Amino acid sequence: MAASGKLGTFRLPPLPTIREIIKLFGLRAVKQLSQNFLLDLRLTDKIVRKAGSLADVYVYEVGPGPGGITRSILNANVAELLVVEKDTRFIPGLQMLSDAAPGKLRIVHGDVLTYKIEKAFPDNIRRQWEDDPPNVHIIGNLPFSVSTPLIIKWLENISLKDGPFVYGRTKMTLTFQKEVAERLVATTGSKQHSRLSIMAQYLCNVEHLFTIPGKAFVPKPKVDVGVVHLTPLIEPKIKQPFKLVEKVVQNAFQFRRKYCHRGLGMLFPEAQRLESTGRLLQLADIDPTLRPTHLSLVHFKSLCDVYRKMCDEDPQLFTYNFREELKQKKSKGQEKDGDPESCGF
């Protein structure tokens, strides 16, 4: 069996280097799209190697650009590689790779934020959520501008078991600005502990695999880049709807340097804020003078569970938005100032 496995191993034929591809097609990184190319195939190989064995795996690569990581994935003997690229300038170079790997590379011109992947791969590779992860893997060198909204979108997909996670607990190996990578793995009490830490860690096992220096990219970004591996958990650490967890966590962290009761208070209308915030913290058994960075996943589980009960008691509470209340107060104040009777005329 080992011999037949070696005979079936696929390797790309000799091709122009990524630098030559960039020159051949006149490609350049667009600053507005926060594009940075990784040209060193030793580093792209390392990203793919750290993702784990990809033999006979269906891989979904986001933002392949000129195709550096794409080459490394194809050389990992995958079953199929699907790339989704928004920038049409990169399609000819990717097509060259597709021609060199018949039946291995499928190119989609589209936006990863809206692309529907649910039917991209065969149904027979789907696994039950409780089983081992499926033979599907998401890999990408994400543009900085899209990395945070995209990971939040995928985290919600995990909570709903849809999108890329209809196949099961699909693993992800992705690049982020080093600061974002550090937030994703940050522990309670650390300076980097943030909304992103809680949202990622309540749904996934998160590992910061290694850091790539900024100088390895073209053009060189002002920051280094972290490679992060995420595996969805069988059971989320907070068993409440994603939007509810997101609302509680966002409010808690919006005043990072103040006591946690300050941000959590914004979950409630001004008229009942003091009383309701006190009740939330008391029932969740949380010290109101803790800073948001010192709130653990266990704390947030308690907060979300209690907030859910409060929303069940008052169905309008979940839709409350303190910014809308502020806006309405300002609007009423302006109307009053503009009223001739209020001016004494």
Side-chain angles (χ1 to χ4, degrees), residues 104-116:
K104 287 280 186 181
L105 175 59
R106 187 155 37 115
I107 303 164
V108 173
H109 174 228
D111 187 341
V112 69
L113 285 167
T114 56
Y115 179 68
K116 304 291 184 187

Side-chain angles (χ1 to χ4, degrees), residues 10-264:
F10 172 82
R11 296 296 293 180
L12 283 168
L15 290 165
T17 65
I18 297 297
R19 199 175 291 277
E20 287 168 345
I21 290 286
I22 289 170
K23 190 174 180 181
L24 179 65
F25 293 104
L27 304 174
R28 61 180 179 80
V30 177
K31 189 176 180 181
Q32 293 90 326
L33 300 178
S34 59
Q35 293 175 337
N36 303 94
F37 305 150
L38 189 54
L39 308 184
D40 188 339
L41 291 183
R42 290 170 301 179
L43 285 171
T44 61
D45 284 348
K46 185 176 181 181
I47 292 171
V48 171
R49 194 167 61 250
K50 289 286 188 178
S53 174
L54 296 179
D56 299 319
V57 170
Y58 290 82
V59 178
Y60 173 33
E61 185 190 0
V62 295
I69 296 178
T70 312
R71 294 185 185 210
S72 297
I73 295 170
L74 288 170
N75 280 330
N77 209 31
V78 296
E80 184 186 35
L81 170 58
L82 168 67
V83 298
V84 176
E85 177 54 66
K86 185 178 182 179
D87 194 333
T88 53
R89 297 174 306 142
F90 297 122
I91 302 298
L94 293 169
Q95 189 58 54
M96 183 183 288
L97 281 178
S98 181
D99 294 341
K104 287 280 186 181
L105 175 59
R106 187 155 37 115
I107 303 164
V108 173
H109 174 228
D111 187 341
V112 69
L113 285 167
T114 56
Y115 179 68
K116 304 291 184 187
I117 195 178
E118 290 86 341
K119 295 181 180 179
F121 298 131
D123 283 342
N124 62 6
I125 64 170
R126 297 188 182 206
R127 294 263 182 93
Q128 293 296 315
W129 197 259
E130 298 75 22
D131 294 343
D132 289 338
N135 281 346
V136 180
H137 205 117
I138 301 172
I139 296 179
N141 174 29
L142 305 178
F144 296 157
S145 60
V146 78
S147 61
T148 300
L150 184 57
I151 195 60
I152 290 294
K153 177 180 185 293
W154 280 339
L155 290 170
E156 184 168 13
N157 288 149
I158 290 171
S159 75
L160 299 170
K161 299 175 185 175
D162 65 8
F165 308 96
V166 295
Y167 303 100
R169 294 185 298 119
T170 300
K171 294 182 179 182
M172 298 177 277
T173 303
L174 306 165
T175 64
F176 298 91
Q177 282 176 268
K178 186 184 175 187
E179 182 184 349
V180 176
E182 288 173 344
R183 286 179 193 167
L184 283 165
V185 300
T187 54
T188 307
S190 67
K191 189 172 67 173
Q192 293 89 353
H193 191 58
S194 65
R195 171 183 75 113
L196 210 49
S197 317
I198 298 297
M199 298 308 293
Q201 293 171 35
Y202 100 85
L203 288 164
C204 295
N205 178 42
V206 192
E207 299 172 80
H208 184 179
L209 300 175
F210 66 100
T211 299
I212 303 174
K215 64 184 180 184
F217 293 84
V218 176
K220 177 187 171 184
K222 294 178 181 177
V223 294
D224 293 338
V225 170
V227 180
V228 177
H229 187 74
L230 300 100
T231 306
L233 299 168
I234 294 175
E235 291 286 341
K237 292 182 180 176
I238 303 173
K239 294 180 181 177
Q240 296 295 348
F242 183 87
K243 291 295 185 189
L244 184 145
V245 178
E246 187 176 39
K247 186 175 183 182
V248 171
V249 174
Q250 275 182 333
N251 277 274
F253 278 103
Q254 69 179 317
F255 302 113
R256 288 179 61 83
R257 295 178 184 177
K258 298 185 182 295
Y259 294 141
C260 67
H261 71 81
R262 178 76 172 83
L264 290 167

